Amino acid sequence: IADQARILELQRDLIVRRDKELEAVKTTVQTEMKGYNTVVAKNCTAALAPKKIEAAVREVSDKEDRSRNVIIYGVEDEENEKLKQKVETILEEIGEKPVLKDFGRVGLVKRSDVKTPRPIKFTLSNSDHVNQVLRSARQQGRV
């Protein structure tokens, strides 16, 4: 009976020590979680700041706008040129008839002694049309 009482006492001591160890681990985990939550809250707030979201949306929008542009080089500048007709003629030569949304020459008007023509930039309704135009031009060896 004395041995059994001793075993029970040792088991109680062991349980008390394990409870203390468990409480220490619990306190450590709670402290670390509070620190982790603070870091996450600060970083998420910074990452989702309205200015950052606005900048990201603007960047995506700009990329989409640029993806609808085509630039043609080597077309001579002329005074009083009908640029829309020139672009449409070039597109017809490669078998394309997309709707032009915008068009114009890129760069400053050059001096009369400069012979290099300014590029023509035109915008189509979507990037799929741009890809089709470029594909047709490549197939005919014009790119």
Side-chain angles (χ1 to χ4, degrees):
I1 291 185
D3 289 338
Q4 288 178 346
R6 180 77 180 131
I7 290 174
L8 289 174
E9 185 181 328
L10 289 173
Q11 286 179 340
R12 282 189 205 111
D13 287 346
L14 183 61
I15 290 171
V16 169
R17 271 191 259 136
R18 295 284 186 221
D19 284 345
K20 286 180 182 176
E21 289 174 5
L22 186 60
E23 192 61 37
V25 169
K26 181 180 172 185
T27 303
T28 302
V29 168
Q30 286 175 340
T31 304
E32 292 298 320
M33 285 304 292
K34 285 179 185 175
Y36 176 76
N37 287 341
T38 303
V39 169
V40 168
K42 284 180 184 177
N43 288 335
C44 286
T45 301
L48 297 176
K51 287 186 179 182
K52 286 191 176 186
I53 292 172
E54 191 176 302
V57 169
R58 190 177 312 115
E59 182 180 334
V60 169
S61 177
D62 288 348
K63 273 186 178 178
E64 174 59 28
D65 289 346
R66 287 191 305 273
S67 73
R68 296 183 296 133
N69 294 336
V70 176
I71 298 179
I72 300 175
Y73 296 90
V75 179
E76 292 298 321
D77 272 323
E78 299 171 3
E79 281 192 42
N80 301 322
E81 67 184 343
K82 296 188 177 176
L83 200 52
K84 183 175 182 178
Q85 289 177 343
K86 274 188 176 182
V87 171
E88 287 174 343
T89 302
I90 291 168
L91 292 173
E92 285 174 9
E93 287 176 8
I94 61 170
E96 295 294 325
K97 292 187 179 184
V99 176
L100 299 176
K101 295 290 184 184
D102 190 25
F103 52 90
R105 291 277 181 177
V106 179
L108 301 172
V109 176
K110 300 200 177 178
R111 299 183 317 242
S112 60
D113 61 330
V114 177
K115 301 292 183 196
T116 308
R118 295 178 297 150
I120 298 172
K121 179 178 103 174
F122 60 94
T123 304
L124 301 177
S125 56
N126 64 52
S127 59
D128 291 336
H129 291 144
V130 170
N131 291 331
Q132 180 59 39
V133 166
L134 294 175
R135 191 175 309 116
S136 294
R138 266 189 226 108
Q139 286 173 348
Q140 294 186 14
R142 299 202 179 214
V143 173

